[in-house]
Amino acid sequence: MTQDAAVSPSTPEPTRDGTRVLHGVGVGRAGVVGPVATVAAPPAAPSDEPGTAPEDVDAVQARVTEAFGAVAEGLRAQSAAASGPAVEVLAATAQMADDKALRKQTLAKIAAGEGPVTALDAVVDQFATMFEQAGGYLAERVTDLRSVRHRVVARVLGVPEPGVPALTVPSVVVAGDLAPADTAALDIAHVLAIVTELGGPTSHTAIIAGQLGIPCVVRTAGAVDLTDGTVVAVDAAAGTVEIDPAPEVAAAFALRAEGAARLAEDTSPGATADGHPVQLLANIGTPEDAERAAAQAVEGSGLFRTEVLFLEAQTAPTREDQAAVYARTLRAFEGRKVVVRTLDAGADKPLKFATQPDEENPALGVRGYRLVRTVPDVVTTQLEALGDAQRETGIAPWVMAPMIATPSEARDFAAAARAQGVEKVGVMVEVPSAALRAPAILAEVDFVSIGSNDLAQYTMATDRLRGELADLISMWQPAVLDLVAATARAGQDVGKPVGVCGESASDPVMAVVLTGLGITSLSMAASAVPAVRFAVKSHTLEQAQAVAAAALACDEAPDARAAAVAALVPGVADTLGL
């Protein structure tokens, strides 16, 4: 995922031959050429919508309630049929459609005489403002919220639900913004790429696109001006959308794809040119993900997101149900490393049985391991189930807690996990305080894993959704790299593993930098592994350290990445299409 692009210009930039180019932030490394298929604008409130007469209130309220229910049910059905991170996103959006406050306030406005769409829009605007002011993960839910609004309004008005049109030929899907629910429902056989005018590189839609291997360019000014059928060249690596490209562009993309296919032929374990091991792992969210990833050339999983098991539940899943899921996942990898992240709920992943009401800033509130303060039984039961799965399979998972901020929290989690028989206990480094106190935290646990998305967000005080701030949230920010380097040094000092499981691990150049800093494992979407394997394998450890030093010597994120690219072993950048 490339996150170093500047803020897009408001008009296409002409090239030397007069071709117009739109600039954005790229997700992935592929390039494709194809016709545009635009996503229709969401239904608007009728300009002359009449108010609801007193005698019609019950009927209108019933129609709106039915629309909310139908939207929620449809999203749950999509979630059940999805895989990977789409399961989690769709389930969370379904929960939003089920939100009692959203419905209650809408129905109240209808009872007061407002028209149904007018009422819903007023409530959605109120919630959106609240989410944006809260910032952090909750701000990311605004897109989901408006997606629910659009679907409900369509049902109320009796018009087709908005979303991606039915595609009959492979196309580049273009939208002002694309709700994660829409991204998750894409017909992959007919989607060449995704281009949006809004959004950011760590938004849910971008992450799903990366997981599915779909090239994507977000924050692309001018994208909504593209028309159906216009041929464009989407270069995710460069973060560009070229209008009416020359024939040689497609040929260059074909050569890049051939190179990627050749890289995938190497299935050796991750290591530098001089044999220094760097484990290459896959991020997963379900047992089905585990079974698919395990069939590929990965050394296990560095991040098993367990939230999917909890998101649609009205009550916490039982110990037995959880143990069965964990055992299936462990068996899928046949003894290879599996790092399980305990429940990372709260903020953008609310649970009906655990989320705290009325948190002013959920991203800084009760999320992740902090649930132990409010619903300790949920945490205890999960650890019990992980211990059961370990005993049943004879395979020891690596278990880590998210949102650890202090050594005492690490100590308490380690004690609780070990009490259930968990042999390998770690924590995530997502909060700057954890990176700064990494030596003390590593004294309490067996390993740590860096969540680069959250570490960048909290370090730079930047919303992950704010595309116009993509330069600040980049992992190439020197302040973020400094914290990664400090954590890696702490691990080297005591001989304990320090991994990275955020999306930054999928960037081959960043992978070389992380290797040079002393990171011992990299976890990413399985599709990104071949390019990362090649980049790491092309450098000795000493050469990787020189690439890392070049990046650390810079004061700005774009300069850091440019310096790292320039320091790569000759030929690597060309092979990767940089």
Side-chain angles (χ1 to χ4, degrees), residues 449-482:
S449 185
I450 297 171
S452 57
N453 292 345
D454 272 328
L455 183 61
Q457 172 176 249
Y458 289 126
T459 301
M460 303 305 296
T462 304
D463 252 352
R464 292 170 62 185
L465 187 66
R466 305 303 300 188
E468 68 268 39
L469 301 178
D471 58 319
L472 291 179
I473 203 171
S474 168
M475 256 291 286
W476 291 99
Q477 282 292 343
V480 180
L481 290 176
D482 284 343

PDB file of all heavy atoms in Angstrom, residues 449-482:
ATOM      1  N   SER A 449       4.055  -7.316  18.878  1.00  0.00           N
ATOM      2  CA  SER A 449       3.755  -7.121  17.462  1.00  0.00           C
ATOM      3  C   SER A 449       3.248  -5.696  17.284  1.00  0.00           C
ATOM      4  O   SER A 449       2.382  -5.236  18.028  1.00  0.00           O
ATOM      5  CB  SER A 449       2.696  -8.121  16.986  1.00  0.00           C
ATOM      6  OG  SER A 449       2.495  -8.010  15.592  1.00  0.00           O
ATOM      7  N   ILE A 450       3.794  -5.008  16.300  1.00  0.00           N
ATOM      8  CA  ILE A 450       3.466  -3.601  16.072  1.00  0.00           C
ATOM      9  C   ILE A 450       2.282  -3.492  15.106  1.00  0.00           C
ATOM     10  O   ILE A 450       2.324  -4.018  14.002  1.00  0.00           O
ATOM     11  CB  ILE A 450       4.679  -2.850  15.498  1.00  0.00           C
ATOM     12  CG1 ILE A 450       5.833  -2.868  16.504  1.00  0.00           C
ATOM     13  CG2 ILE A 450       4.306  -1.414  15.134  1.00  0.00           C
ATOM     14  CD1 ILE A 450       7.144  -2.351  15.937  1.00  0.00           C
ATOM     15  N   GLY A 451       1.219  -2.814  15.558  1.00  0.00           N
ATOM     16  CA  GLY A 451       0.085  -2.502  14.694  1.00  0.00           C
ATOM     17  C   GLY A 451       0.345  -1.149  14.060  1.00  0.00           C
ATOM     18  O   GLY A 451       0.080  -0.116  14.664  1.00  0.00           O
ATOM     19  N   SER A 452       0.873  -1.151  12.851  1.00  0.00           N
ATOM     20  CA  SER A 452       1.390   0.096  12.273  1.00  0.00           C
ATOM     21  C   SER A 452       0.304   1.122  11.996  1.00  0.00           C
ATOM     22  O   SER A 452       0.540   2.335  12.116  1.00  0.00           O
ATOM     23  CB  SER A 452       2.170  -0.213  10.988  1.00  0.00           C
ATOM     24  OG  SER A 452       1.373  -0.909  10.052  1.00  0.00           O
ATOM     25  N   ASN A 453      -0.915   0.690  11.623  1.00  0.00           N
ATOM     26  CA  ASN A 453      -1.972   1.655  11.350  1.00  0.00           C
ATOM     27  C   ASN A 453      -2.299   2.472  12.595  1.00  0.00           C
ATOM     28  O   ASN A 453      -2.363   3.707  12.566  1.00  0.00           O
ATOM     29  CB  ASN A 453      -3.239   0.954  10.854  1.00  0.00           C
ATOM     30  CG  ASN A 453      -3.061   0.332   9.489  1.00  0.00           C
ATOM     31  OD1 ASN A 453      -2.113   0.635   8.775  1.00  0.00           O
ATOM     32  ND2 ASN A 453      -3.967  -0.546   9.114  1.00  0.00           N
ATOM     33  N   ASP A 454      -2.534   1.776  13.711  1.00  0.00           N
ATOM     34  CA  ASP A 454      -2.881   2.483  14.938  1.00  0.00           C
ATOM     35  C   ASP A 454      -1.694   3.245  15.506  1.00  0.00           C
ATOM     36  O   ASP A 454      -1.859   4.343  16.045  1.00  0.00           O
ATOM     37  CB  ASP A 454      -3.428   1.508  15.984  1.00  0.00           C
ATOM     38  CG  ASP A 454      -4.933   1.324  15.858  1.00  0.00           C
ATOM     39  OD1 ASP A 454      -5.612   2.296  15.458  1.00  0.00           O
ATOM     40  OD2 ASP A 454      -5.427   0.231  16.143  1.00  0.00           O
ATOM     41  N   LEU A 455      -0.500   2.669  15.416  1.00  0.00           N
ATOM     42  CA  LEU A 455       0.669   3.380  15.936  1.00  0.00           C
ATOM     43  C   LEU A 455       0.848   4.709  15.209  1.00  0.00           C
ATOM     44  O   LEU A 455       1.125   5.741  15.835  1.00  0.00           O
ATOM     45  CB  LEU A 455       1.926   2.523  15.794  1.00  0.00           C
ATOM     46  CG  LEU A 455       3.206   3.144  16.379  1.00  0.00           C
ATOM     47  CD1 LEU A 455       3.053   3.391  17.880  1.00  0.00           C
ATOM     48  CD2 LEU A 455       4.412   2.254  16.103  1.00  0.00           C
ATOM     49  N   ALA A 456       0.659   4.700  13.882  1.00  0.00           N
ATOM     50  CA  ALA A 456       0.762   5.946  13.124  1.00  0.00           C
ATOM     51  C   ALA A 456      -0.350   6.910  13.505  1.00  0.00           C
ATOM     52  O   ALA A 456      -0.130   8.112  13.676  1.00  0.00           O
ATOM     53  CB  ALA A 456       0.728   5.654  11.628  1.00  0.00           C
ATOM     54  N   GLN A 457      -1.552   6.385  13.669  1.00  0.00           N
ATOM     55  CA  GLN A 457      -2.694   7.240  14.014  1.00  0.00           C
ATOM     56  C   GLN A 457      -2.493   7.933  15.353  1.00  0.00           C
ATOM     57  O   GLN A 457      -2.693   9.143  15.479  1.00  0.00           O
ATOM     58  CB  GLN A 457      -3.976   6.405  14.065  1.00  0.00           C
ATOM     59  CG  GLN A 457      -5.178   7.175  14.604  1.00  0.00           C
ATOM     60  CD  GLN A 457      -6.461   6.372  14.560  1.00  0.00           C
ATOM     61  OE1 GLN A 457      -7.356   6.686  13.789  1.00  0.00           O
ATOM     62  NE2 GLN A 457      -6.560   5.342  15.384  1.00  0.00           N
ATOM     63  N   TYR A 458      -2.097   7.175  16.343  1.00  0.00           N
ATOM     64  CA  TYR A 458      -1.951   7.751  17.682  1.00  0.00           C
ATOM     65  C   TYR A 458      -0.700   8.626  17.787  1.00  0.00           C
ATOM     66  O   TYR A 458      -0.691   9.615  18.515  1.00  0.00           O
ATOM     67  CB  TYR A 458      -1.919   6.633  18.727  1.00  0.00           C
ATOM     68  CG  TYR A 458      -3.258   5.958  18.927  1.00  0.00           C
ATOM     69  CD1 TYR A 458      -3.389   4.580  18.811  1.00  0.00           C
ATOM     70  CD2 TYR A 458      -4.395   6.699  19.214  1.00  0.00           C
ATOM     71  CE1 TYR A 458      -4.617   3.955  18.981  1.00  0.00           C
ATOM     72  CE2 TYR A 458      -5.626   6.076  19.392  1.00  0.00           C
ATOM     73  CZ  TYR A 458      -5.740   4.707  19.277  1.00  0.00           C
ATOM     74  OH  TYR A 458      -6.951   4.094  19.450  1.00  0.00           O
ATOM     75  N   THR A 459       0.345   8.270  17.067  1.00  0.00           N
ATOM     76  CA  THR A 459       1.570   9.080  17.113  1.00  0.00           C
ATOM     77  C   THR A 459       1.355  10.439  16.456  1.00  0.00           C
ATOM     78  O   THR A 459       1.797  11.471  16.967  1.00  0.00           O
ATOM     79  CB  THR A 459       2.726   8.349  16.402  1.00  0.00           C
ATOM     80  OG1 THR A 459       2.956   7.095  17.045  1.00  0.00           O
ATOM     81  CG2 THR A 459       4.001   9.178  16.445  1.00  0.00           C
ATOM     82  N   MET A 460       0.675  10.428  15.312  1.00  0.00           N
ATOM     83  CA  MET A 460       0.519  11.647  14.528  1.00  0.00           C
ATOM     84  C   MET A 460      -0.791  12.376  14.817  1.00  0.00           C
ATOM     85  O   MET A 460      -1.069  13.414  14.211  1.00  0.00           O
ATOM     86  CB  MET A 460       0.606  11.323  13.033  1.00  0.00           C
ATOM     87  CG  MET A 460       1.891  10.621  12.611  1.00  0.00           C
ATOM     88  SD  MET A 460       3.394  11.504  13.094  1.00  0.00           S
ATOM     89  CE  MET A 460       3.218  13.018  12.132  1.00  0.00           C
ATOM     90  N   ALA A 461      -1.598  11.854  15.758  1.00  0.00           N
ATOM     91  CA  ALA A 461      -2.881  12.490  16.105  1.00  0.00           C
ATOM     92  C   ALA A 461      -3.698  12.752  14.848  1.00  0.00           C
ATOM     93  O   ALA A 461      -4.195  13.850  14.604  1.00  0.00           O
ATOM     94  CB  ALA A 461      -2.647  13.782  16.880  1.00  0.00           C
ATOM     95  N   THR A 462      -3.847  11.705  14.034  1.00  0.00           N
ATOM     96  CA  THR A 462      -4.453  11.855  12.717  1.00  0.00           C
ATOM     97  C   THR A 462      -5.510  10.788  12.488  1.00  0.00           C
ATOM     98  O   THR A 462      -5.241   9.602  12.666  1.00  0.00           O
ATOM     99  CB  THR A 462      -3.371  11.725  11.621  1.00  0.00           C
ATOM    100  OG1 THR A 462      -2.356  12.686  11.860  1.00  0.00           O
ATOM    101  CG2 THR A 462      -3.960  11.963  10.247  1.00  0.00           C
ATOM    102  N   ASP A 463      -6.691  11.213  12.083  1.00  0.00           N
ATOM    103  CA  ASP A 463      -7.751  10.280  11.735  1.00  0.00           C
ATOM    104  C   ASP A 463      -7.335   9.410  10.569  1.00  0.00           C
ATOM    105  O   ASP A 463      -6.870   9.917   9.543  1.00  0.00           O
ATOM    106  CB  ASP A 463      -9.001  11.063  11.309  1.00  0.00           C
ATOM    107  CG  ASP A 463     -10.097  11.004  12.347  1.00  0.00           C
ATOM    108  OD1 ASP A 463      -9.953  10.245  13.300  1.00  0.00           O
ATOM    109  OD2 ASP A 463     -11.091  11.738  12.184  1.00  0.00           O
ATOM    110  N   ARG A 464      -7.545   8.103  10.695  1.00  0.00           N
ATOM    111  CA  ARG A 464      -7.216   7.203   9.601  1.00  0.00           C
ATOM    112  C   ARG A 464      -8.087   7.459   8.379  1.00  0.00           C
ATOM    113  O   ARG A 464      -7.690   7.165   7.258  1.00  0.00           O
ATOM    114  CB  ARG A 464      -7.401   5.756  10.059  1.00  0.00           C
ATOM    115  CG  ARG A 464      -6.402   5.320  11.103  1.00  0.00           C
ATOM    116  CD  ARG A 464      -6.767   3.984  11.705  1.00  0.00           C
ATOM    117  NE  ARG A 464      -6.768   2.935  10.712  1.00  0.00           N
ATOM    118  CZ  ARG A 464      -7.154   1.686  10.967  1.00  0.00           C
ATOM    119  NH1 ARG A 464      -7.570   1.367  12.172  1.00  0.00           N
ATOM    120  NH2 ARG A 464      -7.127   0.776  10.028  1.00  0.00           N
ATOM    121  N   LEU A 465      -9.292   8.009   8.580  1.00  0.00           N
ATOM    122  CA  LEU A 465     -10.203   8.217   7.472  1.00  0.00           C
ATOM    123  C   LEU A 465      -9.914   9.482   6.685  1.00  0.00           C
ATOM    124  O   LEU A 465     -10.335   9.623   5.551  1.00  0.00           O
ATOM    125  CB  LEU A 465     -11.640   8.275   7.993  1.00  0.00           C
ATOM    126  CG  LEU A 465     -12.752   8.319   6.940  1.00  0.00           C
ATOM    127  CD1 LEU A 465     -12.785   7.025   6.151  1.00  0.00           C
ATOM    128  CD2 LEU A 465     -14.100   8.587   7.573  1.00  0.00           C
ATOM    129  N   ARG A 466      -9.206  10.405   7.288  1.00  0.00           N
ATOM    130  CA  ARG A 466      -9.028  11.708   6.649  1.00  0.00           C
ATOM    131  C   ARG A 466      -8.014  11.600   5.523  1.00  0.00           C
ATOM    132  O   ARG A 466      -6.802  11.681   5.736  1.00  0.00           O
ATOM    133  CB  ARG A 466      -8.574  12.748   7.666  1.00  0.00           C
ATOM    134  CG  ARG A 466      -9.469  12.888   8.876  1.00  0.00           C
ATOM    135  CD  ARG A 466     -10.893  13.210   8.530  1.00  0.00           C
ATOM    136  NE  ARG A 466     -11.038  14.461   7.804  1.00  0.00           N
ATOM    137  CZ  ARG A 466     -12.198  15.023   7.526  1.00  0.00           C
ATOM    138  NH1 ARG A 466     -13.317  14.439   7.897  1.00  0.00           N
ATOM    139  NH2 ARG A 466     -12.238  16.158   6.871  1.00  0.00           N
ATOM    140  N   GLY A 467      -8.515  11.405   4.302  1.00  0.00           N
ATOM    141  CA  GLY A 467      -7.629  11.245   3.152  1.00  0.00           C
ATOM    142  C   GLY A 467      -6.717  12.427   2.940  1.00  0.00           C
ATOM    143  O   GLY A 467      -5.580  12.283   2.478  1.00  0.00           O
ATOM    144  N   GLU A 468      -7.203  13.640   3.291  1.00  0.00           N
ATOM    145  CA  GLU A 468      -6.361  14.810   3.085  1.00  0.00           C
ATOM    146  C   GLU A 468      -5.197  14.856   4.056  1.00  0.00           C
ATOM    147  O   GLU A 468      -4.286  15.672   3.916  1.00  0.00           O
ATOM    148  CB  GLU A 468      -7.188  16.094   3.198  1.00  0.00           C
ATOM    149  CG  GLU A 468      -7.723  16.391   4.595  1.00  0.00           C
ATOM    150  CD  GLU A 468      -9.118  15.822   4.815  1.00  0.00           C
ATOM    151  OE1 GLU A 468      -9.377  14.701   4.343  1.00  0.00           O
ATOM    152  OE2 GLU A 468      -9.933  16.503   5.455  1.00  0.00           O
ATOM    153  N   LEU A 469      -5.200  13.968   5.052  1.00  0.00           N
ATOM    154  CA  LEU A 469      -4.094  13.888   6.010  1.00  0.00           C
ATOM    155  C   LEU A 469      -3.275  12.611   5.814  1.00  0.00           C
ATOM    156  O   LEU A 469      -2.542  12.204   6.712  1.00  0.00           O
ATOM    157  CB  LEU A 469      -4.633  13.939   7.447  1.00  0.00           C
ATOM    158  CG  LEU A 469      -5.437  15.187   7.828  1.00  0.00           C
ATOM    159  CD1 LEU A 469      -5.940  15.076   9.265  1.00  0.00           C
ATOM    160  CD2 LEU A 469      -4.598  16.439   7.663  1.00  0.00           C
ATOM    161  N   ALA A 470      -3.394  11.999   4.636  1.00  0.00           N
ATOM    162  CA  ALA A 470      -2.708  10.730   4.388  1.00  0.00           C
ATOM    163  C   ALA A 470      -1.203  10.854   4.554  1.00  0.00           C
ATOM    164  O   ALA A 470      -0.529   9.896   4.938  1.00  0.00           O
ATOM    165  CB  ALA A 470      -3.038  10.225   2.981  1.00  0.00           C
ATOM    166  N   ASP A 471      -0.662  12.052   4.273  1.00  0.00           N
ATOM    167  CA  ASP A 471       0.779  12.223   4.421  1.00  0.00           C
ATOM    168  C   ASP A 471       1.197  12.139   5.879  1.00  0.00           C
ATOM    169  O   ASP A 471       2.309  11.707   6.200  1.00  0.00           O
ATOM    170  CB  ASP A 471       1.219  13.557   3.823  1.00  0.00           C
ATOM    171  CG  ASP A 471       0.502  14.737   4.465  1.00  0.00           C
ATOM    172  OD1 ASP A 471      -0.720  14.630   4.708  1.00  0.00           O
ATOM    173  OD2 ASP A 471       1.143  15.765   4.720  1.00  0.00           O
ATOM    174  N   LEU A 472       0.298  12.524   6.798  1.00  0.00           N
ATOM    175  CA  LEU A 472       0.646  12.484   8.222  1.00  0.00           C
ATOM    176  C   LEU A 472       0.558  11.076   8.790  1.00  0.00           C
ATOM    177  O   LEU A 472       1.359  10.693   9.643  1.00  0.00           O
ATOM    178  CB  LEU A 472      -0.282  13.414   9.016  1.00  0.00           C
ATOM    179  CG  LEU A 472      -0.104  14.914   8.778  1.00  0.00           C
ATOM    180  CD1 LEU A 472      -1.110  15.695   9.605  1.00  0.00           C
ATOM    181  CD2 LEU A 472       1.317  15.354   9.113  1.00  0.00           C
ATOM    182  N   ILE A 473      -0.411  10.310   8.329  1.00  0.00           N
ATOM    183  CA  ILE A 473      -0.606   8.988   8.920  1.00  0.00           C
ATOM    184  C   ILE A 473       0.304   7.934   8.305  1.00  0.00           C
ATOM    185  O   ILE A 473       0.300   6.773   8.700  1.00  0.00           O
ATOM    186  CB  ILE A 473      -2.082   8.559   8.800  1.00  0.00           C
ATOM    187  CG1 ILE A 473      -2.406   7.509   9.866  1.00  0.00           C
ATOM    188  CG2 ILE A 473      -2.402   8.057   7.410  1.00  0.00           C
ATOM    189  CD1 ILE A 473      -3.873   7.203   9.965  1.00  0.00           C
ATOM    190  N   SER A 474       1.119   8.309   7.359  1.00  0.00           N
ATOM    191  CA  SER A 474       2.019   7.371   6.690  1.00  0.00           C
ATOM    192  C   SER A 474       3.004   6.742   7.674  1.00  0.00           C
ATOM    193  O   SER A 474       3.536   7.400   8.563  1.00  0.00           O
ATOM    194  CB  SER A 474       2.804   8.118   5.598  1.00  0.00           C
ATOM    195  OG  SER A 474       3.858   7.333   5.119  1.00  0.00           O
ATOM    196  N   MET A 475       3.268   5.449   7.467  1.00  0.00           N
ATOM    197  CA  MET A 475       4.294   4.777   8.268  1.00  0.00           C
ATOM    198  C   MET A 475       5.679   5.335   7.980  1.00  0.00           C
ATOM    199  O   MET A 475       6.625   5.094   8.726  1.00  0.00           O
ATOM    200  CB  MET A 475       4.284   3.282   7.958  1.00  0.00           C
ATOM    201  CG  MET A 475       3.626   2.417   9.020  1.00  0.00           C
ATOM    202  SD  MET A 475       4.541   2.325  10.575  1.00  0.00           S
ATOM    203  CE  MET A 475       5.882   1.259  10.106  1.00  0.00           C
ATOM    204  N   TRP A 476       5.810   6.077   6.888  1.00  0.00           N
ATOM    205  CA  TRP A 476       7.106   6.665   6.557  1.00  0.00           C
ATOM    206  C   TRP A 476       7.399   7.912   7.377  1.00  0.00           C
ATOM    207  O   TRP A 476       8.495   8.470   7.262  1.00  0.00           O
ATOM    208  CB  TRP A 476       7.170   6.996   5.061  1.00  0.00           C
ATOM    209  CG  TRP A 476       7.195   5.767   4.211  1.00  0.00           C
ATOM    210  CD1 TRP A 476       6.158   5.191   3.553  1.00  0.00           C
ATOM    211  CD2 TRP A 476       8.335   4.933   3.955  1.00  0.00           C
ATOM    212  NE1 TRP A 476       6.565   4.063   2.901  1.00  0.00           N
ATOM    213  CE2 TRP A 476       7.908   3.882   3.126  1.00  0.00           C
ATOM    214  CE3 TRP A 476       9.670   4.982   4.342  1.00  0.00           C
ATOM    215  CZ2 TRP A 476       8.767   2.885   2.672  1.00  0.00           C
ATOM    216  CZ3 TRP A 476      10.535   3.992   3.887  1.00  0.00           C
ATOM    217  CH2 TRP A 476      10.083   2.962   3.070  1.00  0.00           C
ATOM    218  N   GLN A 477       6.457   8.339   8.181  1.00  0.00           N
ATOM    219  CA  GLN A 477       6.740   9.470   9.058  1.00  0.00           C
ATOM    220  C   GLN A 477       7.918   9.117   9.970  1.00  0.00           C
ATOM    221  O   GLN A 477       7.894   8.091  10.653  1.00  0.00           O
ATOM    222  CB  GLN A 477       5.510   9.820   9.906  1.00  0.00           C
ATOM    223  CG  GLN A 477       4.436  10.606   9.170  1.00  0.00           C
ATOM    224  CD  GLN A 477       4.897  12.024   8.822  1.00  0.00           C
ATOM    225  OE1 GLN A 477       5.868  12.541   9.371  1.00  0.00           O
ATOM    226  NE2 GLN A 477       4.186  12.638   7.894  1.00  0.00           N
ATOM    227  N   PRO A 478       8.951   9.949  10.005  1.00  0.00           N
ATOM    228  CA  PRO A 478      10.132   9.627  10.824  1.00  0.00           C
ATOM    229  C   PRO A 478       9.797   9.363  12.293  1.00  0.00           C
ATOM    230  O   PRO A 478      10.423   8.491  12.918  1.00  0.00           O
ATOM    231  CB  PRO A 478      11.014  10.867  10.663  1.00  0.00           C
ATOM    232  CG  PRO A 478      10.663  11.373   9.294  1.00  0.00           C
ATOM    233  CD  PRO A 478       9.186  11.135   9.160  1.00  0.00           C
ATOM    234  N   ALA A 479       8.832  10.075  12.848  1.00  0.00           N
ATOM    235  CA  ALA A 479       8.478   9.846  14.253  1.00  0.00           C
ATOM    236  C   ALA A 479       7.947   8.435  14.462  1.00  0.00           C
ATOM    237  O   ALA A 479       8.249   7.785  15.479  1.00  0.00           O
ATOM    238  CB  ALA A 479       7.437  10.875  14.699  1.00  0.00           C
ATOM    239  N   VAL A 480       7.170   7.938  13.502  1.00  0.00           N
ATOM    240  CA  VAL A 480       6.647   6.576  13.607  1.00  0.00           C
ATOM    241  C   VAL A 480       7.787   5.568  13.452  1.00  0.00           C
ATOM    242  O   VAL A 480       7.884   4.588  14.208  1.00  0.00           O
ATOM    243  CB  VAL A 480       5.547   6.335  12.556  1.00  0.00           C
ATOM    244  CG1 VAL A 480       5.000   4.914  12.676  1.00  0.00           C
ATOM    245  CG2 VAL A 480       4.418   7.351  12.716  1.00  0.00           C
ATOM    246  N   LEU A 481       8.663   5.807  12.473  1.00  0.00           N
ATOM    247  CA  LEU A 481       9.810   4.914  12.287  1.00  0.00           C
ATOM    248  C   LEU A 481      10.705   4.890  13.516  1.00  0.00           C
ATOM    249  O   LEU A 481      11.266   3.846  13.877  1.00  0.00           O
ATOM    250  CB  LEU A 481      10.608   5.331  11.052  1.00  0.00           C
ATOM    251  CG  LEU A 481       9.945   5.094   9.695  1.00  0.00           C
ATOM    252  CD1 LEU A 481      10.818   5.646   8.575  1.00  0.00           C
ATOM    253  CD2 LEU A 481       9.679   3.609   9.474  1.00  0.00           C
ATOM    254  N   ASP A 482      10.839   6.033  14.179  1.00  0.00           N
ATOM    255  CA  ASP A 482      11.643   6.080  15.405  1.00  0.00           C
ATOM    256  C   ASP A 482      11.068   5.152  16.475  1.00  0.00           C
ATOM    257  O   ASP A 482      11.807   4.450  17.177  1.00  0.00           O
ATOM    258  CB  ASP A 482      11.705   7.513  15.953  1.00  0.00           C
ATOM    259  CG  ASP A 482      12.652   8.411  15.154  1.00  0.00           C
ATOM    260  OD1 ASP A 482      13.485   7.885  14.400  1.00  0.00           O
ATOM    261  OD2 ASP A 482      12.533   9.640  15.294  1.00  0.00           O
TER     262      ASP A 482
END
